[in-house]
Amino acid sequence: MAPDISQRASAGSGQDIQEKAGKAPASWLARLSWAMFDWANQPYFTVITTFIFAPYFTAKVIGDPVEGQSLWGFTIAFSAALVALGAPFLGAIADAGGRRKPWLFFFQILLAFGCALLWLAQPGQLQLLPLVILGLVLANIAAEYSIMFNNALLPALETPRHVGRLSGIGWGLGYAGGLIALFTVLIVSQPELVGIKPPEGEAFLGLKRDSFEAERIIGPATALWVALFVLPMFLFTPDRPGSGQPFLAVAKAGIAQVFATVRHMREYGNLLRFLIAYMIYYDGLVAIIGFGGIYAAGIFGWGTTELGLFGIALNVIAIPAVIAGGWLDDRIGSKRAVQFAIVSVALGTLGILSITADKVLFVIDVAPRAAGAGLFSATGEQVFFLCAVLLGLGMGPMQAASRTLVARLSPPQMVGEFYGIFSLSGRATTFLAPLLIGIATAMFDTQRIAAAIVLIFLGAGFVLLWKVKEPVRD
């Protein structure tokens, strides 16, 4: 039977937080190994779903960029819907059972398997497309659930005063891992960038250009990366103790607890306000990250090389920013750290809104990019990069401090369930900003409208955060 809701609510009281504050953190090896999970998993998002494999899939595998973008969007939306629907229940079941590592192990294996299937994504081999789609769905579901269960380990590893620092270190390692993976992909696919001249028709390591092996190898290589670098977390990070109950009893208790939480959600009004705010400002963040590269490709004609270098630059900026953001989180509180990050992203978005092919800051005339000009030689491109600095300074701390705030607001016995709801709130409406951008772009016939819509989402999330009360810490 699910624990009494009032008892569980009281577990998140200020007194409980103060009691936990006196406990010693886990060993440095345990905490570093937990943070290595982000290093192991971030390359999936960097090189597969954002900068390299996604454009390859839409433009080359499908062959029609419009049809490819539509199929990619439906695939990611379908997997995100499955994650959103299941996350609160799996999180609550894990709370009832205690242990998180068995869940993590299963989903990390599933992630590696899904990534390995992407090797089959070859143009002209549409009979293999169902297996590629299956790989994308499995990998996306597994990646999101893995993050949820890894997040649920965070509160037990560090004292409340320093939990923001640990979260920031994890995000920083994740960006570093993504940066190295992205740089490696660029070297393998285009070794000419670093002065290496492979034989005609080949990329680095003998990969064949005509069959796009350099792009297809990204999937299996990501699977190997995950399998190798997630090992420290399994070996050295302590799990929560198990309940000793049979799985069916644990599952029944977890499912019952989700429905009990929904019925008594008013008792968690503070956390609910945060989750609604997160849902809105996270939509804006996801939209500007996705929109930024598309906008640059549209007005400057950027291709894979420029977008890849842009992704590297964004990650270079984000690494120190998110680590510093973790320190700021512990100093001023998670809520204020999130709000500072929103302001940074909003300023970067406003800057992007001001740029066209021949203008910056709305009114300053600049020369458009000349045909055959060098990389990032136009003034508009350079100003775009300055705006990207503001995005990079804010995007990591916004996500890291949000993760920390869930740990600080959740009742300890329900942390898995609320990280599940956190995952749900981050996915439930991620279609909304892109949908509004698509409608508005069609209506006004300009890409710039996207940045204006993003600003509305960021502003609304910022305002809603004012009513969230963060627990007082020693």
Side-chain angles (χ1 to χ4, degrees):
M1 186 172 68
D4 179 77
I5 195 79
S6 62
Q7 293 176 355
R8 301 191 73 155
S10 68
S13 66
Q15 180 181 356
D16 224 39
I17 291 171
Q18 296 302 325
E19 289 175 0
K20 187 182 176 184
K23 294 184 179 179
S27 70
W28 69 267
L29 181 60
R31 287 174 285 160
L32 178 61
S33 299
W34 175 86
M36 282 294 293
F37 171 90
D38 286 326
W39 170 284
N41 281 255
Q42 181 60 34
Y44 167 75
F45 298 100
T46 302
V47 300
I48 291 182
T49 67
T50 305
F51 290 110
I52 305 296
F53 187 84
Y56 163 72
F57 177 88
T58 58
K60 301 297 183 182
V61 177
I62 304 303
D64 180 340
V66 175
E67 182 182 347
Q69 181 172 308
S70 176
L71 181 58
W72 181 272
F74 283 128
T75 301
I76 299 302
F78 174 71
S79 59
L82 293 180
V83 171
L85 291 172
F89 294 98
L90 289 186
I93 291 171
D95 280 338
R99 300 179 65 198
R100 268 65 172 184
K101 280 189 178 181
W103 296 92
L104 271 167
F105 182 78
F106 172 77
F107 284 115
Q108 290 288 275
I109 292 294
L110 194 63
L111 171 60
F113 176 71
C115 288
L117 286 178
L118 302 186
W119 170 257
L120 303 175
Q122 184 174 352
Q125 301 292 324
L126 294 184
Q127 72 275 12
L128 297 176
L129 188 58
L131 287 175
V132 177
I133 297 296
L134 175 64
L136 285 170
V137 170
L138 292 179
N140 208 47
I141 290 173
E144 296 291 348
Y145 279 143
S146 294
I147 290 171
M148 180 185 76
F149 288 114
N150 187 65
N151 286 347
L153 291 173
L154 172 61
L157 298 176
E158 185 57 275
T159 61
R161 174 167 292 279
H162 295 127
V163 71
R165 179 178 60 186
L166 180 56
S167 180
I169 290 172
W171 273 102
L173 284 174
Y175 281 128
L179 172 64
I180 292 172
L182 185 56
F183 187 69
T184 302
V185 167
L186 285 178
I187 292 177
V188 170
S189 62
Q190 301 184 52
E192 298 86 356
L193 291 173
V194 291
I196 299 174
K197 294 184 178 180
E200 185 71 22
E202 292 185 3
F204 197 51
L205 302 176
L207 296 170
K208 306 299 181 184
R209 293 188 188 270
D210 58 357
S211 57
F212 297 93
E213 289 182 349
E215 288 77 14
R216 293 161 54 208
I217 199 67
I218 290 172
T222 300
L224 181 61
W225 179 288
V226 169
L228 177 63
F229 290 114
V230 81
L231 281 176
M233 188 275 296
F234 285 111
L235 293 175
F236 304 117
T237 301
D239 200 355
R240 289 174 176 249
S243 67
Q245 298 296 314
F247 178 76
L248 288 179
V250 166
K252 182 178 178 181
I255 293 171
Q257 181 55 46
V258 172
F259 289 112
T261 300
V262 171
R263 289 195 302 269
H264 296 84
M265 187 57 78
R266 285 180 298 178
E267 298 184 28
Y268 305 98
N270 190 44
L271 183 54
L272 180 62
R273 282 190 290 273
F274 163 68
L275 292 173
I276 293 172
Y278 171 76
M279 180 173 64
I280 295 172
Y281 69 71
Y282 184 74
D283 276 9
L285 177 65
V286 170
I288 192 58
I289 290 174
F291 158 80
I294 295 172
Y295 187 66
I299 64 173
F300 302 128
W302 284 4
T304 300
T305 300
E306 291 91 344
L307 289 171
L309 293 173
F310 172 68
I312 288 174
L314 209 58
N315 278 271
V316 167
I317 297 163
I319 292 169
V322 75
I323 293 175
W327 174 85
L328 188 67
D329 183 338
D330 288 333
R331 294 284 294 181
I332 67 173
S334 302
K335 185 181 83 169
R336 287 188 179 137
V338 171
Q339 288 181 312
F340 275 117
I342 291 175
V343 170
S344 181
V345 172
L347 290 174
T349 302
L350 183 63
I352 289 174
L353 178 63
S354 77
I355 300 171
T356 64
D358 56 5
K359 287 186 183 295
V360 299
L361 302 180
F362 297 106
V363 297
I364 301 176
D365 294 323
V366 295
R369 181 179 181 179
L375 291 174
F376 314 122
S377 58
T379 301
E381 293 176 302
Q382 295 162 9
V383 175
F384 187 92
F385 254 90
L386 290 177
C387 297
V389 169
L390 291 171
L391 294 180
L393 289 174
M395 67 182 190
M398 186 190 299
Q399 297 174 87
S402 296
R403 172 167 71 178
T404 306
L405 193 51
V406 177
R408 287 176 169 155
L409 295 178
S410 298
Q413 294 94 328
M414 302 175 70
V415 67
E417 180 182 355
F418 277 113
Y419 269 117
I421 298 174
F422 177 64
S423 180
L424 167 63
S425 67
R427 298 293 176 267
T429 61
T430 48
F431 69 91
L432 186 56
L435 176 62
L436 292 177
I437 288 171
I439 294 172
T441 301
M443 288 178 59
F444 296 99
D445 195 27
T446 174
Q447 285 184 290
R448 299 174 78 186
I449 196 69
I453 291 173
V454 167
L455 286 172
I456 293 173
F457 277 79
L458 293 174
F462 182 92
V463 171
L464 287 173
L465 271 177
W466 280 113
K467 294 188 176 181
V468 175
K469 297 178 181 179
E470 187 172 352
V472 177
R473 295 166 289 127
D474 284 339

